[in-house]
């Protein structure tokens, strides 16, 4: 069973601060996805990273896939209250078809 | 576009009862999935399907059954409900293998077994 460990589990910071969320595993993944989930809703995809060392930017969010494809990070610059939510990383194994392996998530609260 | 629609949104069952969670998608996606999300935990895969007539077990299939008679629908059946099945259930679909394709999630069914 492939496991994804996310840290921190909870994070509460002030508006305007920067933060980084980590997603680590001992397993290699074909790709890794980051989702954001709002209360009462399903997860919504933010980004997919496929190549080791890949960096993708989505406005103030920067996603990085580790060189060995075992870990990933999400960095948010100048966090805003609208960034509040549950951030989930999810890895795809070598087979691909059999769904995603999710981390437990990082609960992020941005205080105004 | 409706995307992935799950019904019901909430349900309370008594121990031993059975029910079917409905999931339908209007995006003509071949791949469909059922996950459960327990408090403080990530999502765990129950069953998945790569096309009509094809289903396979995920990480936590015990106590559940699925069928895929059409591309659009992927119902999840709970037989003999147990308190351990209290959870939020999410259905998802994707155009192809999740290596590159995003999974589109419904808004979930919140199920309590008492």
């Amino acid at each position: 069973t492939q496991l994804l460990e996310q840290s921190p589990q909870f994070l509460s910071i002030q508006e305007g601060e920067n933060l980084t969320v980590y997603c680590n595993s001992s397993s290699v993944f074909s790709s890794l996805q980051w989702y954001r989930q709002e209360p009462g809703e399903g997860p919504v995809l933010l980004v997919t990273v496929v190549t080791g060392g890949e960096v993708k930017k989505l406005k103030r969010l920067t996603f990085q896939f580790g060189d060995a494809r075992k870990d990933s990070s999400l960095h948010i610059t100048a966090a805003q209250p609208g960034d509040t939510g549950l951030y989930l990383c999810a890895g795809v194994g070598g087979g691909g078809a059999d769904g995603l392996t999710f981390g437990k998530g990082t609960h992020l609260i941005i205080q105004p | 576009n409706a995307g992935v629609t799950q019904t019901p949104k909430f349900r309370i069952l008594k121990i031993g009862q059975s029910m079917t969670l409905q999931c339908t998608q209007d995006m003509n996606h071949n791949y469909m999935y059922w996950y459960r999300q327990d408090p403080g935990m990530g999502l765990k895969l129950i069953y998945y399907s790569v096309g009509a007539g094809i289903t396979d077990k995920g990480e936590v299939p015990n106590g559940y059954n699925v069928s895929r008679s059409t591309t659009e629908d992927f119902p999840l059946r709970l037989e003999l409900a147990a308190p351990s099945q209290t959870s939020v259930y999410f259905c998802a679909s994707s155009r192809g293998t999740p290596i590159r394709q995003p999974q589109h999630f419904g808004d979930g069914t919140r199920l309590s077994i008492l």
Side-chain angles (χ1 to χ4, degrees):
Chain A
T1 303
Q2 296 175 310
L3 295 175
L4 278 169
E5 299 288 340
Q6 280 190 246
S7 61
Q9 204 170 346
F10 298 95
L11 184 60
S12 179
I13 63 173
Q14 295 294 125
E15 180 177 2
E17 294 183 6
N18 301 332
L19 68 108
T20 301
V21 175
Y22 299 93
C23 178
N24 296 300
S25 176
S26 58
S27 303
V28 176
F29 289 96
S30 299
S31 68
L32 201 137
Q33 299 178 345
W34 284 91
Y35 289 80
R36 182 177 162 206
Q37 185 178 17
E38 302 275 6
E41 299 180 5
V44 176
L45 180 71
L46 295 173
V47 77
T48 300
V49 285
V50 179
T51 306
E54 183 176 4
V55 177
K56 281 192 175 179
K57 291 191 175 183
L58 188 65
K59 296 184 180 178
R60 294 176 294 99
L61 278 60
T62 301
F63 304 85
Q64 185 162 7
F65 201 14
D67 291 341
R69 292 187 287 130
K70 293 182 179 181
D71 54 86
S72 181
S73 64
L74 158 60
H75 182 78
I76 300 180
T77 304
Q80 298 178 1
D83 295 328
T84 293
L86 175 65
Y87 289 81
L88 296 160
C89 67
V92 182
D98 54 349
L100 298 168
T101 297
F102 280 85
K104 292 183 180 181
T106 294
H107 294 265
L108 177 63
I109 297 174
I110 310 301
Q111 300 179 25
Chain B
N1 286 343
V4 178
T5 302
Q6 292 184 238
T7 57
K9 294 189 183 302
F10 304 94
R11 184 72 185 268
I12 298 174
L13 282 182
K14 293 183 179 179
I15 296 172
Q17 287 185 322
S18 59
M19 76 163 293
T20 299
L21 282 66
Q22 301 292 344
C23 175
T24 187
Q25 53 94 6
D26 62 359
M27 296 172 283
N28 201 32
H29 286 171
N30 284 323
Y31 290 64
M32 295 189 74
Y33 308 84
W34 274 105
Y35 294 90
R36 59 178 286 174
Q37 185 176 31
D38 298 329
M41 306 291 288
L43 285 74
K44 292 189 176 181
L45 183 66
I46 305 171
Y47 270 96
Y48 67 98
S49 169
V50 300
I54 306 169
T55 63
D56 211 341
K57 295 178 180 179
E59 183 183 356
V60 290
N62 291 343
Y64 307 95
N65 278 300
V66 294
S67 59
R68 185 92 182 272
S69 57
T70 67
T71 299
E72 295 79 19
D73 301 307
F74 190 39
L76 177 71
R77 178 83 177 163
L78 277 72
E79 304 282 1
L80 296 175
S84 62
Q85 294 178 303
T86 293
S87 190
V88 182
Y89 290 85
F90 288 99
C91 179
S93 72
S94 62
R95 185 155 57 98
T97 169
I99 290 178
R100 289 184 181 271
Q101 299 295 329
Q103 292 196 355
H104 300 264
F105 287 83
D107 285 339
T109 293
R110 283 142 190 85
L111 181 63
S112 294
I113 315 296
L114 303 176

